[in-house]
């Protein structure tokens, strides 16, 4: 085909030359634009090929999903021995919660999505009614998991464990720390000296102390500080510590958001005659929260992963269960499989949070729609 | 008639008012009376304290000495008085200061609903009426970030008017606008003046001053140097500083 020159606009419907757009164009421009680039492309593709097939082989194709022990696993095939997980999946999910009662955890877990839906997605159908459910859900969940009422067997906290423990501590901590964090952030900006001082002291103390120290305090000392007669269970004490710890961080993240709001916003609100609480509710917080979403979710993800620290005070979170499995002589030495499984659980939960926050940021962006 | 008694008494009365920013004396011995329906334009070089003066009238800035009486209520630290005065005094800012997270309509209805306790439907109707008056009812459901500067400033004017104020303060309303948008905002302000609204306008738009002002004030270094009706103010200014300022601003 000979190259011809056309006057611009003389063939408005002519397609662009082959190989400059679409898949072939992209490949040519990005992967084979020069000799060295082509060599690098071929080399990388070869490496990726071996790497991916090696991984897929180990994870799936050569893996053993059911066996009675590690030795049996190795006899069947030489990939991952997922039997350690599948044989102990119950413990990984529920800890030592009695098997006959585990349906209570399942129901509570699935109900949680209905409780969160109206809070996380404003466009959910029948949101008004669902919000009522969100309101009573914490009480229902507490009664249901704990038992001791309505003919449900009472289950001791010491039997809680596994992913269920992570979700209980993580979700309760997240839900409680957000409002406390908001109040602390507002308190720190308050004109009332007493309120401000209290908030500053609380925030600085909680941020200045390692979480593990707080957990040891929760496990050993907290009951000394409580009035005589009160006796929180260890789980409640741990949740309180997690909540306070992340509330302090959230408070600082939100304070950053509040300070990023231009002064003119307050002046406009003042000039319209809005009082402090109206200004806070309609002008300050909506804007500050929007700015702080990445920081808040960051703190939440941190808190969620930090729940694994409860292992140091003897609670059996997924890592505790993992260690217990590895201590079993039948499964000795399968740490890679066990820890990959636990890591995968955390990764999926945290990815969900981070994706949600991106979605929310986009939704709230009113700048240039 | 109620109007008659109102027109004899000033709606804003400032008596020997002083203000300091730290040790800097920004406003010196300001005395000013504004009657019902009067339109006053305040001009002067930058840093002369003209913005600070009108910001004192709804207490966005606190004065340290002297009295400011708005609608027969003295401006003090008392919050109840302050909120009452602020809902009677509307303000339009140089940088619009619309709430970016609320739609145009919500910007307009927020204060009427929560400060005045208007039912939502009435507030919406009122807001649409005023948005129509500033000629942008079709933008009601958009967000401020989607509008041009001139449109945003007109929304800001409508937002203030939704509180049905007795007095409107304008703090350099056209200074942040591109030239082609200044006219639409000034036209809106001229129409507002024709309805008999009491207006205090800080501006360098001398054409606007000549057209609508009852009285023009020249400020320099925190003092009111000269106050006169526009005709005398522009044609035979008495003070040398006024003459200099006018020669600078009119001869280009």
């Amino acid at each position: 085909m000979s190259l011809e020159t056309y006057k611009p606009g003389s063939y408005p419907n002519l397609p662009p030359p082959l190989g400059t757009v679409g898949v072939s164009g992209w490949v040519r421009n990005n992967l084979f634009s020069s000799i060295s680039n082509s060599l690098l492309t071929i080399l990388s593709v070869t490496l990726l090929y071996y790497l991916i097939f090696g991984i897929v082989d180990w994870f799936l194709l050569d893996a053993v999903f059911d066996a009675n022990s590690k030795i049996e696993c190795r006899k069947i095939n030489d990939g991952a021995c997922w039997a350690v997980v599948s044989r102990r999946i119950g413990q990984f999910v529920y800890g030592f919660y009695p098997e006959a009662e585990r349906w209570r955890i399942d129901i509570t877990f699935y109900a949680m999505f209905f409780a969160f839906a109206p809070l996380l997605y404003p466009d959910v159908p029948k949101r008004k009614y669902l919000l009522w459910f969100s309101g009573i859900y914490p009480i229902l969940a507490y009664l249901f998991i704990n038992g001791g009422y309505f003919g449900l067997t009472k289950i001791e906290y010491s039997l809680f464990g596994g992913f269920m423990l992570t979700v209980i501590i993580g979700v309760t901590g997240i839900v409680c720390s957000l409002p406390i964090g908001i109040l602390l952030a507002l308190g720190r900006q308050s004109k009332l000296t007493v309120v401000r001082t209290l908030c500053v002291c609380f925030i600085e103390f909680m941020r200045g102390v390692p979480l593990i120290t707080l957990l040891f305090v929760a496990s050993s000392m907290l009951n000394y500080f409580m009035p005589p007669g009160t006796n929180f269970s260890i789980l409640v004490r741990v949740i309180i510590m997690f909540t306070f710890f992340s509330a302090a961080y959230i408070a600082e993240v939100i304070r950053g958001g509040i300070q990023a709001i231009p002064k003119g916003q307050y002046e406009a609100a003042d000039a319209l005659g809005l009082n402090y609480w109206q200004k806070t509710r309609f002008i300050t917080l909506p804007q500050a929260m929007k700015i702080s979403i990445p920081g808040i979710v960051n703190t939440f993800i941190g808190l969620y992963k930090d729940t694994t620290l409860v292992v140091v005070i003897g609670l059996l979170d997924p890592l505790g269960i993992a260690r217990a499995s590895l201590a079993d002589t039948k499964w000795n030495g399968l740490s890679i499989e066990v820890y990959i499984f636990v890591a995968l659980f955390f990764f999926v939960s945290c990815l969900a949070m981070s994706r949600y926050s991106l979605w929310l940021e986009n939704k709230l962006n009113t700048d240039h729609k | 008639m109620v109007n008659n008694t109102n027109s004899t008494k000033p709606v804003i009365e400032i008596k020997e008012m002083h203000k300091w920013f730290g040790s800097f004396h920004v406003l010196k011995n300001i005395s000013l009376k504004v009657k019902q329906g009067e339109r006053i334009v305040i001009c002067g070089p930058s840093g002369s304290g003209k913005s600070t003066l009108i910001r004192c009238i709804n207490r966005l800035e606190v004065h340290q000495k002297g009295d400011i009486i708005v609608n027969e209520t003295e401006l003090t630290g008392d919050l109840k008085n302050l909120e009452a005065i602020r809902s009677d005094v509307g303000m339009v800012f140089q940088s619009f200061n619309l709430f970016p997270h609320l739609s145009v309509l919500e910007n307009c209805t927020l204060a009427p609903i929560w400060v005045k306790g208007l039912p939502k439907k009435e507030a919406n109707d009122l807001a649409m009426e005023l948005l129509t008056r500033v000629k942008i009812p079709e933008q009601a459901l958009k967000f401020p970030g989607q509008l041009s500067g001139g449109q945003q400033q007109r929304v800001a004017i409508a937002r203030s008017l939704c509180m049905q104020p007795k007095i409107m303060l304008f703090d350099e309303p056209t200074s942040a606008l591109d030239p082609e948008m200044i006219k639409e905002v000034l036209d809106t302000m001229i129409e507002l003046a024709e309805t008999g609204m009491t207006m205090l306008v800080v501006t360098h738009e001398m054409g606007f001053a000549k057209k609508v002002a009852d009285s023009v004030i020249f400020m320099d270094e925190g003092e009111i140097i000269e106050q006169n009706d526009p005709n005398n103010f522009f044609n035979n200014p008495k003070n040398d500083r006024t003459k200099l300022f006018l020669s600078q601003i009119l001869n280009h």
Side-chain angles (χ1 to χ4, degrees), chain A residues 263-265 267-275 278 281-283 286-287 366-369, chain B residues 55 58 60 83 86 89 91 93 97-101 110-111 114-115 143 145-146 159 163:
Chain A
K263 203 172 135 226
Q265 293 289 307
E267 289 179 350
D270 281 338
L272 286 169
L274 297 172
N275 66 27
Q278 291 165 341
R281 178 173 159 202
F282 298 116
I283 310 302
Q287 296 190 59
T366 56
D367 291 347
H368 300 285
K369 252 197 262 182
Chain B
R55 287 160 63 89
N58 64 354
L60 287 181
E83 276 162 24
R86 279 178 174 169
V89 180
M91 181 149 191
F93 300 87
N97 296 348
L98 293 176
F99 305 129
H101 59 300
L110 181 71
W114 292 96
V115 179
F143 287 97
Q146 299 164 276
R159 176 176 72 175
M163 285 297 283

Side-chain angles (χ1 to χ4, degrees), chain A residues 278-342:
Chain A
Q278 291 165 341
K279 218 166 35 174
T280 304
R281 178 173 159 202
F282 298 116
I283 310 302
T284 318
L285 276 185
Q287 296 190 59
M289 297 293 283
K290 190 179 117 188
I291 300 171
S292 321
I293 290 172
I296 292 174
V297 174
N298 206 14
T299 313
F300 282 167
I301 289 178
L303 169 127
Y304 192 76
K305 291 190 297 183
D306 282 348
T307 56
T308 50
L309 288 174
V310 296
V311 78
V312 299
I313 53 166
L315 296 186
L316 287 176
D317 83 308
L319 285 185
I321 301 280
R323 282 215 305 217
S325 320
L326 294 173
D328 187 338
T329 44
K330 280 195 293 184
W331 307 109
N332 242 327
L334 290 175
S335 45
I336 298 182
E337 284 87 342
V338 167
Y339 287 126
I340 282 182
F341 176 64
V342 173

Side-chain angles (χ1 to χ4, degrees), chain B residues 41-146:
Chain B
V41 165
I42 304 171
C43 59
S46 101
S48 58
K50 49 197 193 306
S51 284
T52 312
L53 171 60
I54 71 163
R55 287 160 63 89
C56 281
I57 294 172
N58 64 354
R59 212 173 166 86
L60 287 181
E61 303 287 355
V62 178
H63 61 283
Q64 277 91 22
K65 214 176 137 193
D67 300 323
I68 302 178
I69 298 160
V70 180
N71 265 338
E72 301 177 29
T73 314
E74 197 187 335
L75 271 181
T76 55
D78 185 350
L79 277 178
K80 275 275 160 291
N81 278 350
L82 183 59
E83 276 162 24
I85 287 174
R86 279 178 174 169
S87 59
D88 273 346
V89 180
M91 181 149 191
V92 174
F93 300 87
Q94 180 178 358
S95 48
F96 328 138
N97 296 348
L98 293 176
F99 305 129
H101 59 300
L102 300 177
S103 70
V104 164
L105 187 64
E106 288 165 331
N107 262 283
C108 293
T109 56
L110 181 71
I113 290 175
W114 292 96
V115 179
K116 287 202 152 173
L118 225 59
K120 196 175 172 196
K121 203 188 159 293
E122 274 178 47
N124 276 346
D125 292 346
L126 178 67
M128 285 315 293
E129 186 192 320
L130 286 161
L131 285 173
T132 312
R133 203 156 114 195
V134 300
K135 300 189 183 68
I136 33 176
E138 72 281 2
Q139 312 282 10
L141 297 177
K142 285 195 183 168
F143 287 97
Q146 299 164 276

Side-chain angles (χ1 to χ4, degrees), chain B residues 197-240:
Chain B
M197 175 68 75
T198 311
M199 291 164 77
L200 263 83
V201 186
V202 172
T203 187
H204 291 137
E205 296 296 329
M206 291 304 132
F208 173 79
K210 281 176 191 163
K211 207 165 187 174
V212 301
D214 295 314
S215 156
V216 183
I217 290 175
F218 174 69
M219 282 184 75
D220 194 15
E221 292 176 357
E223 288 172 292
I224 293 182
I225 305 292
E226 189 166 347
Q227 175 170 12
N228 216 333
D229 61 89
N231 197 9
N232 283 323
F233 182 87
F234 289 110
N235 295 330
N236 46 42
K238 294 181 198 95
N239 192 289
D240 286 342

Side-chain angles (χ1 to χ4, degrees), chain A residues 230-276:
Chain A
T230 50
N231 186 17
F232 290 134
S233 72
I234 176 78
L235 183 60
V236 175
R237 281 180 268 156
V238 163
I239 289 177
I240 290 175
M241 280 307 181
F242 269 103
T243 304
F244 284 176
F245 188 76
S246 91
Y249 279 87
I250 300 237
E252 288 298 277
V253 171
I254 294 178
R255 185 168 69 99
I258 292 176
Q259 284 173 348
I261 299 173
K263 203 172 135 226
Q265 293 289 307
Y266 300 115
E267 289 179 350
D270 281 338
L272 286 169
L274 297 172
N275 66 27
Y276 173 80

